[in-house]
Amino acid sequence: MSRLLLVHAHPDDETLTCGVTMAHHVARGDEVHVLTCTLGEEGEVVPRHLAHLQGAPGDPLGPYRRGELARALAVLGVTSHVLGEDDRGATSRWRDSGMAGTSAADHPQAFAAAPLREAATAVARVVARLRPDVLVTYDAGGGYGHPDHVRTHEATRTAVLGLPARDRPSRVFEIRTPRSWAQEDRAWLRERVHPGRHGEPPGRTLQLLDDAAPYPVGVVDDAMVTHEVVDPTAVARQAAALREHVTQLTVLQTLPGDGPVVPFYALSNDVAARLPGREGFARVDPATWAPWPLDPARSEGHRWGRLTG
């Protein structure tokens, strides 16, 4: 059995980007932990009946999303940790910084503005306590550029590099998506998703992206992705966990007659997104964070599976 630790910025990030990986490794008997750096207080609330939580005095959305996170990870069989949470009533040390350019970045507890050494020390304490065999977090661009994702990468990288060699995870990965997968997913969505016909919430209209729309920075050339977890059987568990993140997204289904009925989802921007049953990663050296040397025996275009080797 191996122990995995995934470090994420906000509740729901873990299941959106690594839900298949977590479900797959739990099913294999591995022990999986998630460290969440903020409670997502700046999240845009999707359901009308919960809209009063968004931007309300006292940040009630944060504790609400903490509950969503706990329920989602329980569905996946994963242990939850929040950075700075303790038994004295503190729910987190830092706050969601909001999207780039928003006023939330000026909050005194904004995670993106946290002193790097302080944030890294907090992450390092969790890593040293759990002693994971595998650690996963974002790339330097934070997957899609959110300031908290970038800070999560910086804090995690600094934490790992500052640990004694005996306390470092032996395998460290950044989350990456091969460009060919992203292209396939958009084509699949255009074929299988019909806006207005999937029981969307009132007032919501699904949007589909075409090939001309830019991809997030976490979508990279296929050759940069060294590992993949491919497990279509884990999608049902991932979708069940995502349904617990009700404030942030809507899980829908494709229509009968268009092939097997399968789940997909939309965030508050109403852009339809696939749950393809596969997730990609790039391994880095835990002592330097340099890209891990590729195995010369690896055949062209082949990626290793499972993160535990």
Side-chain angles (χ1 to χ4, degrees):
M1 182 184 77
S2 296
R3 179 177 296 161
L4 290 79
L5 173 63
L6 298 91
V7 187
H8 284 277
H10 316 105
D12 81 10
D13 291 330
E14 75 299 324
T15 309
L16 289 169
T17 61
C18 299
V20 165
T21 297
M22 292 188 291
H24 177 82
H25 278 279
V26 168
R28 283 177 47 81
D30 292 324
E31 180 183 327
V32 182
H33 297 255
V34 167
L35 173 61
T36 308
C37 294
T38 83
L39 296 181
E41 293 88 348
E42 290 294 313
E44 297 178 347
V45 175
V46 174
R48 290 178 175 175
H49 71 281
L50 295 173
H52 63 281
L53 296 172
Q54 183 172 327
D59 282 340
L61 181 58
Y64 196 94
R65 292 188 70 183
R66 177 67 180 95
E68 291 180 336
L69 175 66
R71 293 189 294 273
L73 294 186
V75 168
L76 293 167
V78 171
T79 302
S80 177
H81 311 265
V82 173
L83 201 62
E85 188 174 58
D86 60 32
D87 57 8
R88 295 169 295 175
T91 53
S92 64
R93 169 64 182 85
W94 286 285
R95 186 183 185 278
D96 184 350
S97 308
M99 299 296 255
T102 65
S103 61
D106 297 327
H107 193 285
Q109 290 180 285
F111 185 57
L116 179 56
R117 179 170 301 201
E118 185 180 349
T121 297
V123 172
R125 289 194 192 101
V126 178
V127 177
R129 174 164 52 86
L130 293 178
R131 303 287 294 269
D133 305 291
V134 174
L135 185 142
V136 176
T137 193
Y138 312 113
D139 62 3
Y144 70 103
H146 191 294
D148 286 337
H149 287 230
V150 173
R151 202 51 160 177
T152 298
H153 164 87
E154 294 168 343
T156 305
R157 173 176 174 164
T158 302
V160 170
L161 295 179
L163 286 170
R166 66 179 182 277
D167 290 335
R168 288 189 203 121
S170 59
R171 299 168 70 87
V172 176
F173 297 89
E174 295 181 342
I175 302 164
R176 301 284 184 89
T177 300
R179 190 173 305 276
S180 64
W181 287 9
Q183 293 168 337
E184 290 170 9
D185 290 348
R186 286 190 182 179
W188 183 93
L189 288 161
R190 290 195 298 270
E191 178 183 348
R192 301 291 303 276
V193 174
H194 311 282
R197 297 179 57 196
H198 298 274
E200 298 97 315
R204 318 295 301 203
T205 302
L206 289 174
Q207 308 293 318
L208 299 174
L209 298 179
D210 60 27
D211 291 333
Y215 289 100
V217 295
V219 175
V220 298
D221 291 341
D222 286 31
M224 296 177 66
V225 179
T226 63
H227 288 66
E228 60 186 19
V229 177
V230 180
D231 186 354
T233 67
V235 171
R237 184 63 60 87
Q238 181 186 27
L242 285 175
R243 289 188 180 96
E244 299 296 341
H245 289 292
V246 66
T247 62
Q248 302 302 296
L249 56 91
T250 306
V251 178
L252 303 163
Q253 292 189 135
T254 57
L255 300 176
D258 283 345
V261 175
V262 295
F264 67 98
Y265 72 93
L267 298 171
S268 60
N269 61 6
D270 296 322
V271 174
R274 188 183 182 190
L275 295 173
R278 58 191 183 186
E279 292 160 354
F281 305 88
R283 189 176 179 186
V284 299
D285 187 334
T288 63
W289 214 274
W292 191 261
L294 298 180
D295 187 339
R298 191 179 71 159
S299 61
E300 183 68 25
H302 174 74
R303 303 183 191 100
W304 298 114
R306 294 189 306 271
L307 304 188
T308 52

